[in-house]
Amino acid sequence: MDKLPSYYPSNRSHLGSVERPPARRKKLSRIFIFCGAAAAVWLWSASHHTFGPEHSIKVPLHAAETLQKCNMLHVLPGPPPNFAQRTQSDRFVPGTHPTLLKNTSVWTGDSEVYGADVLLDKGMVKFIGHTSEENLADYEDLISVDVGGSWVTPGIVDMHSHIGVSSVPRLNGARDSNSHKGPILPWLRSLDAINTHDDAYILAISGGVTTANVLPGSANAIGSVASSGPNKNHTDQDKGGQAFVIKLRPTEERTPSSMLLEPPYSINDTRVDPSLPPRWKQMKCESFHSRVYSNTRMDNIWAWREAYDTARKIKERQDAYCEKALVGEWNGLGEFPEDLQWEALVDVLRGRVKVHTHCYEAVDLDGFVRLTNEFKFPLAAFHHAHETYLVPGTLKQAYSMFSSILRVMLNTSHADNTPAVALFATNARYKREAYRGSEFAPRILAENGIDIVMKVLIIDDVVPLFRTEIYFQSDHPVLNSRYLLFEAQQAHYYGLDADTALASVTSTPAKVLGLDHRVGYIREGTQDWPDIVMWDSHPLALGATPKQVWIDGIAQIDNPHTSEKPIAFQSPPTTPNFDKEAEAAIKYEGLPPLMPTPAKADTIVFTNVSSVYERSGSNIQEMFNARDSEPGVVVVQNGEIVCYGSRHGCLAPITTSEQIFESFDLQGGSISPGLVSYGSQMGLEEIRGEQSTQDGNVIDPLTGSVPKLLQGNEIMKAVDGLQFAGRDTLLAYRAGVTSAIAPPKSGKFVAGISTAFSTGAAHALQDGAITQDTVALHITIGHLASRSVSTQFAALRHLLLDATSGAPFDRVAKGEIPVVVKTHGADMIASLVKLKKEVEASRNVQLKLTLAGAAEAHLLAKELAEANIGVIVTPSRPFPQTYVMRRILPGPPLTQDTAVTTLLAHGVKVAVGTRDQWGARNTRLDAAWVALESDGRISKAEAIALVSTNVEELLGVAPVNSLSGDYVATVGGSILDFEAQVVGIISSRRHSVEWL
């Protein structure tokens, strides 16, 4: 049975079972402690009692309890003194069999151990090393698993999550992340809103996430406190309220309380063992411009100062009260001064809460640092923190309550207690505050001493003092926490060292939360650390997937499915050198120039080429591979590939004619067709949160009124609102996405006509900027605000069967252009299949229908193939965001198949899309990941087609000749290899090669 933790000494042997102290003995122990304290108070008061009436002191009945409270005011959080003597975890579930993982490659949280056996028992790591039959003789029902050298790591710790409070599927009855009762609400608790039926729990576990810090939402400047361990752990000023740390496994009790990891002792019982130090609380705050309450930054800072000043006054009254109570001056004292609403902030000022603040820009970071020094409280972490890499010195100026102690102990004038930094790897520019976010922030912070190896100093065996750490957040469900490890993988790709990258999602967040004695490591001994993930490849390899996950020593995935990975994936990937790019990020304050540089020569020779992929109609074929020959060359003239193959065959004509050419060594790299992005608003908006940077939403004739001026011409064209040279657009270009297809921006029924454009163009009048003016007609079928699904189908039927001649819907009904329907639910998809047949029977023409989104399309794969309906799966890795997306096919380790493999197996034409424009740069990785999950059923050429020719075919982009169009040159591997770097674009449209 799962329960709140209780601590007790044990005299049993290290590997033996634990004898729980009888309840009667524990009850008597508490009585003796209370009576002893009461007797001490009576004896003290009696020795100082003067029987003259003018000197009589009346000792209150609550004296013992109050004195204990006063004595504990300055005790800092930490594990109990006997924590290291435990032989059984308080989270141990009786009946759980001991488990031996044999022949593992272990990343322990800060180092590697090869060929080790790991023994789990009683909810703890009992042994790491080489076992013998003698060592295991006392273990009955031992489960032994030979992992064959597979990598094993601590469970992933998500320090910034809204799992459980922003539940999926998203339903109004379970939307509990935000309160709108005011900007300062430190008394709110995420615990009171955690939904135990969130479908995201098992998905997160399947990605190796075992622990999550559940934060309230972002509406408040100060929201609430969360609890995470023997210490009060953090005030997170990113969302408003108190956060609570939970283990994600289902419990026997099926309650939020039973999921808690080291909550405050007072959560379910006001009686607190006076011999135990407090536990960390977690709190969350917002420190930037508030859109919810129309507050400016000045308003927010004043709201904080006023709130902390209120807490300061309560703290000072408590200190003055205890100063008198501790010397027996009880007369006139009354009750202990406290206020339930403000107790969390009072604890912040006492250094007993881990404060986490949601800050983006330098102005916010600087303002909150000033706040910590004005009110003298330590800060655990800055979350989101997009500009921290530009102001590392500011972070180091945050208040440290231990600085004077450390100056003496370390013989230094500076004691570093810099806050940690929580980052996305590449998610930025979604609002103005995040516009200067950089993929190089983690490595830059590391180089400034912000995210390097944790340096721990223990004072009184209670409080760890550490240098600033970098860790990565999911902000679930903003990013699916299942793929939190992908954030660390990307950071490693852009220059963060491997150990720091892995620590950023395991041991570092555990330390920041004050829970590194419970999670974040795999070590033998008296701590818990029973959360372990066994991976199918090195955890920093793209697509690394758990083979099994243990939480509290309990296996979590029934019959896990795995895909065979290449042997090279058992080592961390080699990463490109991004030194110049990182320097430019700082030099230009997050906005370095991104436009490509045209090559100086008309003829370019790429040497040391390992492979060449070529368009072949609507397919991709590998036309050259150096496996069976020496590395090849590719010759380009005026943006056209004119030769590829052997050096002799391609270079002889050039050298004979003495042409001037430029040579580039690809170091085993590759040439492949440019990728195509679809699904985001790339090209139509620069900053999602700033309307002035967007084309804006088009008028929807079904849900809105159409102005008379536009009647008869209600269908808008995206080409008229295109914006070029946006940062996400150019970053995608630099990652091999050379073109994008964008429909007009709309959240309603009819979006309009999409257009295809070059992501590397400077403006619309440049050669090749618009690759196809009119592409497809786009609509959405779903739960719109004011129209039923059946109404939408009636409208679509009318528009297709009774369209005005020459109008866009008439062109669709005649099969001239595709209609792309964004929808997800299987029932809606089934209705579309029927409607297509109806229109085709009436019009006697083949309708070109493509589904986009299509989370549940796999349920109708056979029917879609028979109806000749293609699918653009968006996003490529599914998530049950809404009710009509709940029946996703999640893929390994939960299912053997994915939506893509299922659709392809039935003969459906499939492409892969991108939901967010900032994610377009990862298109090549999305395709590679789909191939890796297919267990060999999708080749590299087919994976490239998923994000290039298949996209174009399904959307109606006219095909180009085999060696025309855009091609991408990569160094260090093919475009699908994580290690590769895009270095050049071969553009026949602009008749040149462009260097990146």
Side-chain angles (χ1 to χ4, degrees), residues 551-813:
I551 302 180
D552 298 327
I554 304 171
Q556 297 298 303
I557 303 175
D558 296 331
N559 303 314
H561 301 273
T562 59
S563 296
E564 194 70 25
K565 299 291 178 64
I567 189 65
F569 278 53
Q570 298 306 318
S571 301
T574 303
T575 58
N577 186 326
F578 287 108
D579 289 349
K580 292 182 179 179
E581 290 85 347
E583 291 173 2
I586 298 174
K587 177 181 178 181
Y588 294 96
E589 297 190 356
L591 303 176
L594 297 176
M595 288 298 296
T597 303
K600 296 179 181 179
D602 292 334
T603 300
I604 307 296
V605 176
F606 292 98
T607 62
N608 201 6
V609 179
S610 65
S611 59
V612 175
Y613 294 88
E614 180 183 313
R615 296 170 179 269
S616 178
S618 61
N619 299 314
I620 301 293
Q621 290 186 353
E622 185 179 37
M623 305 303 293
F624 171 81
N625 194 293
R627 282 190 299 264
D628 302 321
S629 61
E630 65 177 12
V633 299
V634 174
V635 178
V636 178
Q637 291 182 341
N638 296 315
E640 293 274 0
I641 297 176
V642 296
C643 184
Y644 58 80
S646 68
R647 294 179 61 88
H648 175 74
C650 287
L651 291 184
I654 298 177
T655 54
T656 302
S657 62
E658 298 183 354
Q659 292 184 35
I660 298 175
F661 65 91
E662 188 175 345
S663 180
F664 195 101
D665 183 357
L666 290 186
Q667 304 170 35
S670 179
I671 303 291
S672 58
L675 308 184
V676 182
S677 179
Y678 169 77
S680 75
Q681 291 298 310
M682 188 165 64
L684 293 172
E685 70 177 21
E686 179 71 352
I687 305 174
R688 181 174 299 173
E690 297 290 341
Q691 190 171 0
S692 64
T693 71
Q694 309 169 13
D695 175 47
N697 289 322
V698 298
I699 298 171
D700 177 42
L702 180 63
T703 60
S705 58
V706 178
K708 289 184 178 181
L709 182 65
L710 295 177
Q711 289 179 2
N713 296 283
E714 298 92 348
I715 308 304
M716 308 302 167
K717 299 180 67 174
V719 67
D720 298 322
L722 277 181
Q723 302 173 180
F724 287 85
R727 300 201 67 79
D728 282 321
T729 309
L730 290 173
L731 286 169
Y733 189 70
R734 298 174 75 89
V737 179
T738 60
S739 64
I741 300 167
K745 186 177 180 181
S746 171
K748 302 296 179 65
F749 177 59
V750 177
I753 301 293
S754 57
T755 189
F757 64 97
S758 169
T759 55
H763 53 77
L765 301 181
Q766 188 177 26
D767 287 345
I770 307 295
T771 57
Q772 188 166 315
D773 184 290
T774 298
V775 178
L777 176 61
H778 297 256
I779 69 169
T780 297
I781 297 286
H783 294 284
L784 306 180
S786 57
R787 297 292 184 268
S788 68
V789 172
S790 54
T791 300
Q792 295 166 53
F793 272 102
L796 181 58
R797 179 179 292 105
H798 167 69
L799 290 169
L800 290 174
L801 294 177
D802 304 312
T804 303
S805 178
F809 277 98
D810 181 59
R811 295 189 63 194
V812 168

Side-chain angles (χ1 to χ4, degrees), residues 4-5 77 188-191 194 211-216 224-235 241-247 259-267 278-284 352-354 356 513-515:
L4 292 174
L188 300 183
R189 307 183 306 179
S190 66
L191 169 64
I194 292 176
T211 304
N213 186 30
V214 181
L215 304 167
S224 58
V225 173
S227 182
S228 79
N231 313 312
K232 299 179 181 179
N233 189 340
H234 74 273
T235 303
Q242 302 178 31
F244 282 76
V245 178
I246 63 172
K247 291 289 192 80
M259 300 172 73
L260 295 177
L261 178 60
E262 292 204 341
Y265 293 111
S266 59
I267 285 295
R279 290 173 164 178
W280 285 112
K281 290 181 180 178
Q282 314 286 330
M283 179 178 268
K284 185 167 184 286
R352 295 158 67 139
V353 177
K354 297 281 191 177
H356 298 245
L513 292 169
L515 289 171

Side-chain angles (χ1 to χ4, degrees), residues 150-290:
S150 293
W151 281 98
V152 168
T153 71
I156 291 174
V157 180
D158 188 352
M159 202 172 92
H160 187 126
S161 178
H162 306 293
I163 197 169
V165 295
S166 290
S167 303
V168 295
R170 187 173 57 220
L171 297 167
N172 288 335
R175 297 179 69 176
D176 285 306
S177 61
N178 280 307
S179 170
H180 298 280
K181 300 300 192 297
I184 304 294
L185 302 173
W187 45 85
L188 300 183
R189 307 183 306 179
S190 66
L191 169 64
D192 301 320
I194 292 176
N195 177 14
T196 57
H197 302 296
D198 191 338
D199 286 356
Y201 291 130
I202 185 58
L203 294 174
I205 290 171
S206 73
V209 181
T210 58
T211 304
N213 186 30
V214 181
L215 304 167
S218 305
N220 312 110
I222 301 178
S224 58
V225 173
S227 182
S228 79
N231 313 312
K232 299 179 181 179
N233 189 340
H234 74 273
T235 303
D236 181 8
Q237 308 218 357
D238 158 296
K239 319 278 179 184
Q242 302 178 31
F244 282 76
V245 178
I246 63 172
K247 291 289 192 80
L248 299 188
R249 72 170 176 84
T251 64
E252 182 179 308
E253 293 182 0
R254 299 187 176 93
T255 63
S257 294
S258 63
M259 300 172 73
L260 295 177
L261 178 60
E262 292 204 341
Y265 293 111
S266 59
I267 285 295
N268 285 349
D269 192 345
T270 58
R271 297 166 298 172
V272 178
D273 187 339
S275 66
L276 300 177
R279 290 173 164 178
W280 285 112
K281 290 181 180 178
Q282 314 286 330
M283 179 178 268
K284 185 167 184 286
C285 310
E286 285 281 354
S287 57
F288 60 90
H289 180 83
S290 173

Side-chain angles (χ1 to χ4, degrees), residues 425-469:
T426 54
N427 181 5
R429 293 165 295 282
Y430 46 89
K431 54 185 171 182
R432 195 200 66 81
E433 298 93 316
Y435 194 63
R436 296 175 187 268
S438 172
E439 62 272 34
F440 305 109
R443 62 167 288 174
I444 294 170
L445 288 166
E447 291 164 358
N448 281 273
I450 301 295
D451 66 335
I452 56 174
V453 176
M454 176 75 75
K455 192 172 184 179
V456 181
L457 180 62
I458 304 297
I459 296 181
D460 293 332
D461 294 324
V462 173
V463 183
L465 303 182
F466 42 84
R467 297 179 64 83
T468 295
E469 303 288 337

Side-chain angles (χ1 to χ4, degrees), residues 20-96:
R20 296 183 180 273
R24 182 171 177 272
R25 188 187 312 168
K26 294 177 69 178
K27 184 176 180 180
L28 287 173
S29 175
R30 290 178 177 173
I31 292 173
F32 289 148
I33 291 172
F34 179 82
C35 291
V41 172
W42 184 87
L43 289 172
W44 185 93
S45 62
S47 66
H48 290 75
H49 187 77
T50 302
F51 292 95
E54 70 278 5
H55 298 292
S56 177
I57 299 175
K58 185 178 180 180
V59 179
L61 294 177
H62 61 73
E65 179 183 350
T66 300
L67 288 176
Q68 179 62 42
K69 186 178 293 186
C70 289
N71 284 322
M72 294 295 291
L73 283 183
H74 303 289
V75 176
L76 293 172
N82 63 351
F83 185 82
Q85 281 72 55
R86 302 173 319 137
T87 57
Q88 175 174 301
S89 171
D90 50 271
R91 291 189 59 83
F92 171 67
V93 177
T96 302

Side-chain angles (χ1 to χ4, degrees), residues 934-957:
S934 74
D935 203 18
R937 288 172 286 179
I938 298 176
S939 67
K940 277 192 172 183
E942 291 168 333
I944 295 173
L946 290 175
V947 288
S948 59
T949 52
N950 286 14
V951 179
E952 294 173 333
E953 181 180 354
L954 289 175
L955 292 176
V957 175

